[in-house]
Amino acid sequence: MASIDEFIAASAELTGFGGAELWATGMAEVYWAVVLEEAGAAAVGRLVAEPLGEGERELARAVAGLWYLGSWSVAGGVPVVVSSAAYERGLVWRAFGGQAPGTGPRGHGSWTVEPERSR
Amino acid sequence: MSAPEAGRWDVIVVGAGFAGSLVAQRLGDQGWRVLVLEAGQGEPEGAAGHRAAVEAYRSAAVKVPNAPYRTTAAAPSPSVLDLSGRAEGGYRSDGYVVQRGPLPYASGYLRANGGTGLAWTGLAPRMHPEDFRAGDFGHGRNWPIDYAELEPYYRAAEREIGVAADVAEQREAVGLPFPDGYAFPMRAIPRSHLDQVLADALDGKCVQDPAEEVPTPLRVVGTPHARNGLPNPGYQLEGNLCSGHASCVPICPAQAKYTPLRTQARWSASVTLVTRAVVSRVRIDGNGRATGVEYRTYEGDDHPTGIAERRADAALVVLAAHAIENAKLLLASGAANSSDQVGRNLMDHPVLLTWGLMPQQVGAYRGPGSTSGLEGFRFGAARARRAPFRVEIGNWGWTWALGPPDLRVAELLRSGGAAGRGLFGPELRRTLGDRIGREIAFQFEMEQEADPANRVTIDPRHRDALGNPRPVLHYDLSEYVKRGIVAAKAVSDQLFALLGAQDHTRFEPGPAWPGYFEYQGRPYAYRAAGHGAGTHIMGDSPADSVVDAWQRCWDHPNLYAVGCGSMPTVATSNPSLTMAALALRSAERIHHDLQGLAREGALSP
């Protein structure tokens, strides 16, 4: 059976975020459990062996989506948010230097300053 | 069956939302015994309830306005998710509200303690003096009162709900009269970085509105907010400063946004709230006087249990249940309809959304949903030719138009990349990082004129879980509104060109656009702002209006219907502040009426 380290390495390849960054979200173990539960060990084994191969392309999309959005979504299905923490730590917000709406207070007027990425 | 609230009250208020909470507060302060009956449930209550609602929002797969709040089958709430577009055009509606019009009434509302005022966006602009005489332009109706009459109540409402704005800017850039020396309770909410980028590019430039003879000058103007900014002297801040959570709709985690729960916390001991109490009928005696209400209490959310029939008596009844629910109740009660206008003139703000990518990062998804707008299309002679509109600058990227970034992520994963088989890895990260923070949207809120054909009716074949009638709506957009949408789209095209932005606006029939339509051979679609109005329209004659200038039913001297349902024109400003001002004005009149009844000995001790 694949290990969580292999899962993180595959996730890094799929998301473009480094393994340390993925661990730093605090969601690694939760997502590992979600993916095993939803996809099964066999499919996960094939994914970690060849993350960008054609064989598990749908699973690759679901895993990348999980890291970016905090929700599990497969083609044709309704996305399920793993938890409020998963929503908060979605990489899509990190990707442009933002924060998930409704999380993490900033300061009054923080929206007036130029976004960090443009500096 | 008796209940603690049985017996005779001075006033019964039906609905614990924006207008009902304000009326109850003012009457309670005068010592009147007020019973407030709220159809929905009473959460979120207290700090724990608030935290639970925030968690529900963060965990919701689809973060629609009603998402944080529990609703009940006994008092169903229409959700924007009830509507979907058909692939071939047209729409389907599967919710509580029955829709029969050519186009959908596309707003939801919330039946819960606090009402839609829990989920509202918190923008609180005043109406312009011209808005009170929209009928003079040949479309819709005039008000029986003018701006000057309402002005002191605007000030009272701004104090009660706590409005942050710059009086000099509102005077100069919007043309609003204020008394000398007036200051809003709080200093203006800071404009977003996006507002500043747009001001740098647009201020002093002009665009050509096709309905105007001369170009319209542009100026980015701050919008008044009912959320906490820095207090001006003499104003005591309640709650925290706005800290830019970017989730005002549907919930402010910092509780910086006003909700009616804040007013309820100020209620005197003579106000009693009963939640899960669904009023089914106003009782009217042979002399046309309201004597009280019949209602049902219930337990449970998905399946009502413990249903009990109840009644309460009062010297005066105030309906404050939302424009559509007020009309439904009046129709079910056979009340107030000698003019045949109850339920008619249903208005909303149809919203044209346009969206694009700015050339540079603008900090999308930060701060309140909108902090500034363009005011130049709201007034003037063009109003005779097309619906006027207010332009909101959207701070939350493409959320309202296309949903949060989730769908863009999913699309890149599905069909991005050179081979169209999905984008992954550093290229995915780079693409999202580049695009999401450049998203902008314009929100054109169109005035919709009072049209008697747009209406709420009831039909005994359509009932809810308690057996109460469900609202049956017939809704459409007039040529006047559609011409406004055409003008707004032309303005949008020029704005994107001035900004050097890539315009990604595209309207097509399908599930995401129930408000899709074609006009003059071109595709358009609208969403709606949740600003239902007009269903118990105010006027100066009982022949063609439901309530008088005090929101008192012409047909029943002790029955009031308050809220946006009274508005003769919904104009182009978000209507909650005007609703609040009207409610405070009515509360004074109700107090006067009650004093008269007391003198006549008509109030029991």
Side-chain angles (χ1 to χ4, degrees):
Chain A
M1 191 176 122
S3 69
I4 189 168
D5 292 313
E6 290 172 297
F7 169 67
I8 293 296
S11 294
E13 209 171 318
L14 293 172
T15 60
F17 281 78
E21 288 177 297
L22 297 180
W23 277 108
T25 64
M27 301 309 299
E29 284 151 308
V30 173
Y31 289 169
W32 173 232
V34 167
V35 172
L36 276 181
E37 164 83 19
E38 296 288 342
V44 174
R46 290 190 294 275
L47 179 74
V48 301
E50 198 190 359
L52 290 170
E54 281 299 320
E56 291 296 340
R57 184 54 62 111
E58 275 306 315
L59 180 55
R61 291 184 177 117
V63 169
L66 182 61
W67 285 104
Y68 269 95
L69 304 168
S71 60
W72 183 256
S73 175
V74 290
V78 180
V80 176
V81 179
V82 169
S83 66
S84 69
Y87 162 72
E88 180 170 357
R89 293 165 201 180
L91 299 177
V92 67
W93 311 106
R94 289 270 310 279
F96 71 98
Q99 277 182 278
T103 67
R106 286 133 271 202
H108 185 62
S110 53
W111 52 93
T112 65
V113 301
E114 212 178 325
E116 277 178 29
R117 271 185 58 99
S118 66
R119 284 179 212 153
Chain B
M1 185 164 178
S2 73
E5 64 273 17
R8 190 171 162 81
W9 296 80
D10 296 327
V11 183
I12 293 169
V13 175
V14 180
F18 228 103
S21 296
L22 290 166
V23 168
Q25 186 226 355
R26 287 304 206 253
L27 296 177
D29 284 353
Q30 303 281 357
W32 302 109
R33 293 166 306 138
V34 183
L35 173 65
V36 182
L37 298 174
E38 166 54 48
Q41 52 82 34
E43 299 291 334
E45 200 175 309
H50 174 68
R51 279 196 301 275
V54 172
E55 279 294 294
Y57 160 76
R58 291 175 180 158
S59 310
V62 190
K63 293 176 168 45
V64 292
N66 290 356
Y69 308 106
R70 279 165 61 200
T71 53
T72 67
S77 299
S79 163
V80 291
L81 296 176
D82 297 341
L83 288 173
S84 60
R86 294 180 185 278
E88 68 278 17
Y91 70 96
R92 57 175 295 157
S93 167
D94 296 314
Y96 158 62
V97 166
V98 181
Q99 302 234 23
R100 289 186 177 152
L103 289 170
Y105 177 83
S107 287
Y109 51 91
L110 183 60
R111 297 172 77 195
N113 187 34
T116 317
L118 297 175
W120 78 308
T121 189
L123 296 181
R126 294 184 179 195
M127 283 174 49
H128 188 272
E130 187 188 284
D131 292 332
F132 293 83
R133 36 178 213 276
D136 290 352
F137 293 84
H139 303 274
R141 296 191 182 202
N142 287 347
W143 288 54
I145 56 173
D146 61 10
Y147 178 89
E149 168 63 38
L150 201 56
E151 203 283 330
Y153 301 97
Y154 269 135
R155 275 180 279 146
E158 283 157 357
R159 188 153 191 94
E160 173 62 33
I161 73 175
V163 174
D166 179 339
V167 73
E169 185 182 37
Q170 290 294 303
R171 191 182 273 134
E172 183 195 323
V174 188
L176 292 175
F178 295 89
D180 288 344
Y182 179 65
F184 283 92
M186 292 171 282
R187 283 151 62 182
I189 296 291
R191 57 165 51 179
S192 66
H193 175 67
L194 173 64
D195 295 339
Q196 189 58 53
V197 169
L198 264 57
D200 291 345
L202 301 177
D203 280 5
K205 304 270 181 22
C206 288
V207 294
Q208 184 61 55
D209 174 346
E212 281 281 11
E213 282 156 20
V214 295
T216 305
L218 300 174
R219 174 171 169 182
V220 174
V221 180
T223 307
H225 294 255
R227 77 186 89 254
N228 289 341
L230 298 169
N232 278 321
Y235 182 74
Q236 185 67 43
L237 209 61
E238 227 176 294
N240 301 305
L241 280 176
C242 171
S243 51
H245 277 96
S247 63
C248 322
V249 178
I251 190 163
C252 174
Q255 294 180 289
K257 178 185 78 175
Y258 171 84
T259 78
L261 302 182
R262 206 184 276 176
T263 289
Q264 291 183 13
R266 300 177 194 137
W267 280 351
S268 78
S270 68
V271 180
T272 299
L273 170 68
V274 180
T275 58
R276 297 175 180 270
V278 187
V279 173
S280 51
R281 198 166 76 87
V282 181
R283 296 196 338 273
I284 309 278
D285 72 12
N287 297 320
R289 297 189 66 87
T291 59
V293 300
E294 291 171 4
Y295 65 103
R296 295 185 188 92
T297 54
Y298 64 94
E299 294 156 17
D301 288 349
D302 296 336
H303 303 284
T305 56
I307 298 164
E309 304 275 346
R310 301 177 193 273
R311 57 178 270 185
D313 302 328
L316 192 146
V317 175
V318 180
L319 302 183
H322 182 272
I324 289 173
E325 293 295 316
N326 270 2
K328 190 191 89 176
L329 259 177
L330 288 171
L331 291 168
S333 308
N337 203 16
S338 63
S339 63
D340 186 36
Q341 295 297 305
V342 170
R344 294 187 183 274
N345 309 299
L346 173 64
M347 296 175 270
D348 195 2
H349 280 138
V351 182
L352 178 79
L353 295 160
T354 63
W355 58 98
L357 289 179
M358 289 290 283
Q360 74 274 49
Q361 295 289 318
V362 290
Y365 300 90
R366 295 190 307 178
S370 176
T371 35
S372 297
L374 303 168
E375 309 283 339
F377 309 94
R378 294 176 62 186
F379 321 114
R383 200 166 186 161
R385 296 185 282 275
R386 51 106 180 104
F389 49 91
R390 183 169 177 278
V391 189
E392 284 184 358
I393 298 164
N395 288 332
W396 297 348
W398 295 356
T399 297
W400 200 4
L402 299 186
D406 304 39
L407 294 176
R408 267 87 79 206
V409 174
E411 191 177 332
L412 286 174
L413 288 170
R414 192 172 57 245
S415 56
R421 296 282 295 134
L423 199 59
F424 291 93
E427 212 184 331
L428 174 65
R429 180 177 181 173
R430 222 172 12 250
T431 304
L432 288 168
D434 171 56
R435 285 190 197 166
I436 306 293
R438 292 195 287 128
E439 290 182 356
I440 66 160
F442 292 109
Q443 302 159 185
F444 299 82
E445 307 223 353
M446 318 300 305
E447 177 176 81
Q448 178 170 38
E449 79 279 26
D451 175 352
N454 286 339
R455 67 186 298 200
V456 184
T457 56
I458 56 174
D459 177 335
R461 291 172 298 173
H462 299 290
R463 295 182 182 275
D464 65 22
L466 286 193
N468 287 315
R470 295 160 56 196
V472 179
L473 305 188
H474 182 280
Y475 185 83
D476 201 2
L477 303 188
S478 66
E479 291 279 316
Y480 179 64
V481 172
K482 289 177 179 173
R483 285 196 300 272
I485 288 175
V486 168
K489 182 64 171 66
V491 168
S492 174
D493 292 348
Q494 295 168 72
L495 292 175
F496 281 123
L498 285 169
L499 294 170
Q502 289 170 10
D503 190 347
H504 284 245
T505 309
R506 182 182 160 86
F507 302 117
E508 50 194 0
W513 290 104
Y516 176 86
F517 67 95
E518 289 166 17
Y519 185 64
Q520 297 171 340
R522 295 211 171 140
Y524 297 95
Y526 65 95
R527 300 212 189 284
H531 298 166
T535 52
H536 40 87
I537 201 159
M538 176 193 290
D540 52 20
S541 163
D544 62 6
S545 60
V546 178
V547 300
D548 66 14
W550 302 102
Q551 304 191 81
R552 185 170 50 190
C553 295
W554 288 109
D555 297 348
H556 313 287
N558 64 338
L559 177 62
Y560 283 72
V562 302
C564 293
S566 297
M567 294 174 70
T569 154
V570 70
T572 53
S573 25
N574 310 53
S576 295
L577 178 77
T578 300
M579 165 166 60
L582 288 170
L584 296 178
R585 184 170 177 272
S586 289
E588 282 189 7
R589 187 69 205 182
I590 292 167
H591 171 59
H592 183 264
D593 289 356
L594 288 168
Q595 286 179 311
L597 290 169
R599 276 194 300 274
E600 292 164 21
L603 297 188
S604 60

